[in-house]
Amino acid sequence: DSGVTQTPKHLITATGQRVTLRCSPRSGDLSVYWYQQSLDQGLQFLIHYYNGEERAKGNILERFSAQQFPDLHSELNLSSLELGDSALYFCASSPGLTGWNGELFFGEGSRLTVL
Amino acid sequence: DQQVKQNSPSLSVQEGRISILNCDYTNSMFDYFLWYKKYPAEGPTFLISISSIKDKNEDGRFTVFLNKSAKHLSLHIVPSQPGDSAVYFCAASARRTGANSKLTFGKGITLSVRP
């Protein structure tokens, strides 16, 4: 158990809909990261938040948005869903920004299926 | 553009033998490299890392070798055990640019260790 909690574990929805994925980081971790893993693809970096502020952005679509709340949990909002958005979405956390060995603690992921 | 490449999608080895997992990268700004392991229905977990100032890092049965001139790294597992059967992701970051929060992952290699 990494200590990172993601909900829901599975989600099935239709094209055009909007969903929200939730992530609670490990206790004490200030950084939250979102990654997307599509079929036969590696983990694609989407976005990084540190203590409520956006720190880095990857290949995140404009239809997607995220935020980190004062209690440090994070939400990833996916709107106008398309079939190609079907993927496993991982949240990860780490203690901070500097002096970091690169270790991210991943949740079990939220599997999104768009029909 | 795949900046971190794991060209072999799978590898099968006999228990007790050496497993060698390869990874190539194209971005010369990458200066920190990591390996993550992932079991089915779980999130990736950190395995080992190496900075570009080193060419080898060892942790128990796991050793990572870095060849900067060839932009190549490899993970050696000796001896391999059935419990090592998992998907292994290679990842890289460009710490000296300040983009240390963004990890770029490869597509992963599925390792099967036969009893």
Side-chain angles (χ1 to χ4, degrees), chain B residues 3-4 25-31 33 71 92 94 96 104:
Chain B
Q3 297 186 59
V4 176
Y25 61 97
T26 58
N27 189 339
S28 59
M29 298 305 292
F30 287 150
D31 57 2
F33 305 89
K71 292 191 175 68
R96 61 187 164 202
T104 300

Side-chain angles (χ1 to χ4, degrees), chain A residues 72-84:
Chain A
L72 301 176
H73 91 271
S74 178
E75 292 181 357
L76 179 66
N77 300 297
L78 317 174
S79 61
S80 302
L81 286 168
E82 303 175 358
L83 296 178

Side-chain angles (χ1 to χ4, degrees), chain A residues 11-19 78 81 83 86 112-115:
Chain A
L11 189 55
I12 301 174
T13 189
T15 54
Q17 295 298 304
R18 172 190 168 94
V19 299
L78 317 174
L81 286 168
L83 296 178
S86 295
L112 172 67
T113 302
V114 182
L115 300 176

